[in-house]
Amino acid sequence: MSENHQHIDDSLEKNKPSSPVTTQILILRIEKMDCPTEESLIRHKLEGMQGVESLDFNLIQRKLTIRHQLQDSEPIIVAVTSLGMEPVVESAFLSSIIWIARLKKR
């Protein structure tokens, strides 16, 4: 094996995560979220939160889908509640993605 190939192989080994990356999906129903003003307030509160990957707002159905990598979704619920809103958990589930699956998709 040439030095270049060995270097590439070593870099792959060094960069692979030691465990699967787990993304959780939390769907909240928020009755008071019915216009862009509430969306903006919630977005501002959650976008800077460590572990939050993405936010998907559906103002018509008053639903917020949050993809995150937090151990517990409680900090998200507390953050939304601190805005004077009353989030109700509609569903929460895990989506595990193993690093090898990501490499195969490339």
Side-chain angles (χ1 to χ4, degrees):
M1 186 179 291
S2 74
E3 286 184 31
N4 287 342
H5 287 112
Q6 184 62 40
H7 177 71
I8 291 170
D9 292 342
D10 288 346
S11 68
L12 285 175
E13 287 298 313
K14 290 176 187 173
N15 292 328
K16 76 177 183 180
S18 59
S19 62
V21 176
T22 303
T23 298
Q24 296 190 48
I25 300 172
L26 174 65
I27 302 174
L28 300 176
R29 178 162 176 81
I30 307 169
E31 280 300 320
K32 294 181 179 179
M33 183 184 75
D34 61 358
C35 75
T37 301
E38 286 91 12
E39 176 183 342
S40 179
L41 287 170
I42 295 168
R43 186 177 297 281
H44 180 71
K45 190 75 168 181
L46 298 180
E47 277 187 336
M49 184 179 286
Q50 180 139 1
V52 173
E53 295 179 349
S54 68
L55 304 171
D56 182 33
F57 291 84
N58 183 328
L59 296 179
I60 294 170
Q61 293 182 352
R62 299 176 188 203
K63 290 185 182 180
L64 171 58
T65 302
I66 305 143
R67 293 182 191 275
H68 66 90
Q69 292 188 4
L70 301 173
Q71 291 288 333
D72 182 9
S73 57
E74 185 69 22
I76 295 170
I77 296 166
V78 169
V80 173
T81 302
S82 75
L83 297 171
M85 303 196 186
E86 300 169 3
V88 175
V89 176
E90 285 210 343
S91 65
F93 55 94
L94 299 176
S95 173
S96 293
I97 303 168
I98 300 175
W99 73 273
I100 293 173
R102 285 187 174 176
L103 290 175
K104 288 182 179 179
K105 289 182 181 181
R106 290 182 183 179

